[in-house]
Amino acid sequence: MHLTKPCGSNSRSSSSSNNSNKGGAIANTFHSSKSSNKMARITRTISPQRHHIHQRSLPHTLLLAVAAIALLQLHNLESVSAQSMMTKNEPMFISRSETFKFITGETIVLPCEVANTDTYVVAWKRGIAILTAGSVKVTPDPRVRLVNGFNLQIREALPTDAGDYICQIATMDPREITHTVEILVPPRIHHISTGGHLQVKKGSSVRIECSATGNPMPNVTWSRKNNILPNGEEKLHSHVLSIENVDRHKGGVYICTANNRVGQPASSQVVLHVLYSPEIAVERPVVFSGEGHEAMLVCIVHGETQPEVIWFKDTMQLDTTERHIMETRGSRHTLIIRKVHPQDFGNYSCVAENQLGKARKTLQLSGKPNVAVFNSPPISQYKDRYNISWAVDSHSPIEEYKLSFRKLPQGHEVVGNAIDSQSSSSSLSSSQSSSSSSQMYGSGLHSHHMGSNIGGVGGAGGVGMGSYAGYGNLMHWGRNDWRNVVLPAIPVSHHYSQGMSYMVRGLDPDQHYEATVQSRNRYGWSDLTNSFVFSTSSNDGPVDLSTFLNHGLSDNEMRDLSVTFYGSSAINRQKLGLLALSSATLILSLVLA
């Protein structure tokens, strides 16, 4: 009798065998993976467990699900670990993007410090041009190189070097930083419209343009060498200089300056020549001299081009002789006359001529006295009289003086010792020819004696004191009448500086008076002085000398008392002793001492 295994039993065995094979396959799959030892132990443990489950008749699909879940968790763990390792070793920049400024000629250094770039290429680019790749220089520019790693150096910077420079790491998605370079350029003047030299005629208008370059754009200013600009300013902030109505005073050197605070300012100059006809100024219209002395007549002549100067005596052209010497120093033209003769006095003229015209100025060589100068104090010590004095320079002895004085009319303002009025000279000229004026002559001052009436007469050698008839303290005249006194110079002085004093009497207390004086030598009268203003006081000062005249002092003795001497360089006053002493004379001497 044959025993046969039930089909079901064979079927379970086959199924069990198949499940065992599947478990082995899963185990082999785990063993072939790149898992850790721990995960391998987990895999080996799963197979018995699955076998145990099989023995308990659990569905084999449950075993596959558990294995799949474990495998997925292991894969996720490995992925996270790999990404963490990659993040720690990825390439990166230490430098940051910046803007740099360099002056032309300097060395440019642009930083590019990187990390973790061992397997990557670091390159420098400018636009689409590659400058370096790794440690290899690509650009043919000899000024470019890498220094201290990947820092980019450019020697002798040029304005064309300005722009953006990119340092790049060649990853799948390239990483980069950008440096911006600005080149600072010192100022440079590249154009002046006149070319540095300009000639114009007097009365013309001038426009000069000055153009400059640089980075940043420079400021342009105009100035004038050793002078201010025609508009009165020291500087003009503009690239255009305009000058209207040019004359010789506006000529000179004008300077254009450009400055942008980079390096040194740039400057360029323009020389402006003004062409004009001669212009003449005389140093002294009247030159005073004397026989045997030397005289110098000077004309200051300007002109462009340089004029030719000729000297004339009246209408006769002068040539250089032993006594006539003509000198030229710059614009100063001098006619020197040595050992002056009487016939040398007269009118001279200097004539200057160039291509644009001619000019003439007249001078006078005079032997007359200079204009006198008053030297007495402006306020009298007395209320009714004033001792007026003056000095005059003359190469020839003074022969006489003419003193004119009057009470200051109402409405005349006193400024210092002068009068702020133009009517004084004209009123003096008219009054001298009018019958209302009174004229006294020093030669007749000693013929009468009336109480305490005193006049003063003197000269360069001395001052004589005497009385004149009919006036004295009782003298009165019209409000604006001038009084003229002609005073002979006694004794005659041969000093260059000469002088005179005169006691004006019969004045009103606390009043203003004005006076003028003229001097005459053998060649004629000098010009009038400007009006001199003096004042009387409200009260008398020292003892009145006129009281002593009533006690027997003669005119001659009084004249000898007040003699005044004038030296050649200064006026020195000395009192002479009395020629005839009496008791009254002795008392007067003690009072004066």
Side-chain angles (χ1 to χ4, degrees):
M1 186 172 75
H2 294 285
L3 295 176
T4 59
K5 292 182 179 179
C7 294
S9 177
N10 292 334
S11 178
R12 285 193 298 267
S13 298
S14 176
S15 175
S16 177
S17 176
N18 291 336
N19 288 340
S20 297
N21 292 335
K22 290 180 180 178
I26 293 173
N28 290 334
T29 301
F30 276 100
H31 284 294
S32 64
S33 65
K34 295 180 180 179
S35 302
S36 62
N37 293 331
K38 181 178 180 180
M39 298 310 299
R41 285 194 300 271
I42 292 173
T43 305
R44 287 194 297 272
T45 303
I46 290 175
S47 180
Q49 286 178 347
R50 287 174 179 172
H51 182 69
H52 181 68
I53 291 172
H54 167 71
Q55 291 177 350
R56 292 183 181 183
S57 302
L58 292 176
H60 71 278
T61 55
L62 179 62
L63 180 60
L64 292 175
V66 172
I69 292 172
L71 182 61
L72 181 61
Q73 289 177 345
L74 180 60
H75 177 73
N76 291 338
L77 181 63
E78 289 179 347
S79 298
V80 170
S81 177
Q83 288 177 2
S84 176
M85 293 298 293
M86 288 178 64
T87 300
K88 290 181 180 178
N89 296 321
E90 69 180 356
M92 59 186 296
F93 285 101
I94 299 175
S95 301
R96 294 292 180 263
S97 298
E98 294 184 64
T99 298
F100 296 92
K101 294 182 179 181
F102 298 94
I103 299 175
T104 53
E106 292 183 341
T107 298
I108 300 173
V109 176
L110 303 179
C112 184
E113 296 185 28
V114 295
N116 304 326
T117 60
D118 293 341
T119 59
Y120 299 93
V121 175
V122 178
W124 276 99
K125 299 191 302 180
R126 184 184 180 193
I128 62 172
I130 298 176
L131 304 179
T132 64
S135 59
V136 178
K137 189 181 82 165
V138 178
T139 177
D141 191 339
R143 301 176 301 131
V144 177
R145 67 171 181 165
L146 293 175
V147 294
N148 300 327
F150 294 106
N151 296 332
L152 184 68
Q153 182 189 82
I154 305 174
R155 298 188 306 274
E156 299 175 2
L158 300 174
T160 54
D161 294 327
D164 292 336
Y165 291 79
I166 299 172
C167 183
Q168 185 181 83
I169 300 175
T171 57
M172 185 67 66
D173 293 323
R175 304 181 182 187
E176 60 188 31
I177 60 173
T178 301
H179 292 315
T180 299
V181 174
E182 182 180 348
I183 302 298
L184 303 179
V185 182
R188 183 177 70 89
I189 296 174
H190 65 86
H191 174 70
I192 290 186
S193 58
T194 62
H197 191 276
L198 182 61
Q199 283 190 347
V200 296
K201 288 186 178 181
K202 179 180 177 181
S204 302
S205 296
V206 172
R207 176 184 170 90
I208 310 173
E209 293 186 10
C210 178
S211 300
T213 58
N215 185 36
M217 184 60 67
N219 294 319
V220 177
T221 59
W222 283 98
S223 60
R224 191 177 179 189
K225 186 176 182 179
N226 301 327
N227 208 335
I228 59 175
L229 294 171
N231 63 0
E233 301 292 334
E234 290 187 359
K235 287 186 178 181
L236 174 66
H237 295 274
S238 173
H239 70 284
V240 177
L241 174 66
S242 296
I243 306 174
E244 303 295 333
N245 194 24
V246 174
D247 58 22
R248 69 179 180 89
H249 301 289
K250 297 177 182 178
V253 178
Y254 291 84
I255 302 172
C256 170
T257 303
N259 188 8
N260 63 356
R261 302 186 182 277
V262 178
Q264 295 297 319
S267 63
S268 184
Q269 65 183 27
V270 176
V271 180
L272 177 61
H273 283 288
V274 181
L275 305 177
Y276 59 98
S277 60
E279 298 176 2
I280 304 176
V282 296
E283 191 171 80
R284 287 181 295 167
V286 180
V287 177
F288 296 97
S289 187
E291 293 182 40
H293 294 273
E294 182 177 274
M296 300 178 65
L297 285 69
V298 179
C299 284
I300 309 298
V301 181
H302 296 279
E304 191 69 39
T305 56
Q306 185 65 37
E308 180 184 0
V309 177
I310 301 174
W311 287 93
F312 289 85
K313 168 73 164 66
D314 295 325
T315 59
M316 182 179 67
Q317 180 177 338
L318 297 178
D319 296 323
T320 300
T321 64
E322 187 176 309
R323 288 200 314 113
H324 293 165
I325 300 173
M326 302 170 194
E327 290 184 351
T328 300
R329 293 183 180 178
S331 60
R332 181 185 175 93
H333 297 260
T334 305
L335 172 63
I336 302 174
I337 303 175
R338 294 179 175 174
K339 297 180 180 179
V340 172
H341 295 173
Q343 61 268 25
D344 291 327
F345 296 118
N347 294 323
Y348 291 79
S349 59
C350 57
V351 177
E353 183 176 7
N354 66 8
Q355 295 92 330
L356 299 177
K358 178 187 293 188
R360 175 190 295 266
K361 281 289 184 178
T362 301
L363 306 87
Q364 182 183 2
L365 178 61
S366 175
K368 298 176 183 179
N370 284 263
V371 176
V373 177
F374 289 99
N375 53 24
S376 51
I379 300 176
S380 175
Q381 301 180 63
Y382 307 100
K383 65 181 180 180
D384 60 350
R385 55 196 178 276
Y386 176 72
N387 189 17
I388 190 169
S389 61
W390 60 88
V392 62
D393 293 336
S394 176
H395 290 276
S396 300
I398 300 296
E399 297 178 358
E400 61 180 352
Y401 301 94
K402 182 188 290 184
L403 173 67
S404 301
F405 56 91
R406 70 168 179 175
K407 184 185 292 186
L408 193 63
Q410 295 294 329
H412 287 63
E413 182 180 355
V414 178
V415 180
N417 291 338
I419 302 172
D420 188 16
S421 172
Q422 298 181 354
S423 62
S424 298
S425 298
S426 59
S427 61
L428 174 59
S429 299
S430 60
S431 66
Q432 286 175 340
S433 60
S434 171
S435 59
S436 64
S437 64
S438 189
Q439 182 159 298
M440 297 165 285
Y441 292 91
S443 58
L445 291 180
H446 312 295
S447 58
H448 300 278
H449 175 73
M450 297 180 63
S452 61
N453 304 332
I454 310 175
V457 183
V463 175
M465 302 282 294
S467 65
Y468 56 85
Y471 293 97
N473 289 337
L474 300 177
M475 180 170 56
H476 298 285
W477 55 78
R479 177 177 299 176
N480 296 332
D481 290 347
W482 285 92
R483 295 295 163 176
N484 302 320
V485 183
V486 178
L487 306 171
I490 302 175
V492 172
S493 171
H494 293 277
H495 292 296
Y496 177 65
S497 295
Q498 306 171 44
M500 169 66 102
S501 71
Y502 177 76
M503 181 69 77
V504 181
R505 309 188 64 81
L507 306 178
D508 294 333
D510 197 20
Q511 294 294 319
H512 293 294
Y513 293 85
E514 65 173 319
T516 64
V517 72
Q518 281 181 281
S519 312
R520 184 179 67 81
N521 62 14
R522 59 178 291 190
Y523 296 104
W525 287 98
S526 69
D527 291 334
L528 273 172
T529 61
N530 293 327
S531 289
F532 171 76
V533 176
F534 63 89
S535 304
T536 54
S537 61
S538 57
N539 296 308
D540 271 339
V543 178
D544 189 353
L545 293 179
S546 64
T547 58
F548 291 96
L549 294 177
N550 296 327
H551 294 81
L553 212 65
S554 69
D555 289 346
N556 289 334
E557 289 171 334
M558 189 66 200
R559 181 166 61 251
D560 292 334
L561 177 66
S562 298
V563 177
T564 303
F565 284 92
Y566 294 83
S568 58
S569 60
I571 300 176
N572 302 311
R573 297 178 178 272
Q574 297 178 350
K575 298 295 182 180
L576 297 182
L578 298 177
L579 297 180
L581 292 178
S582 61
S583 59
T585 305
L586 181 59
I587 294 173
L588 182 59
S589 299
L590 293 175
V591 171
L592 292 176

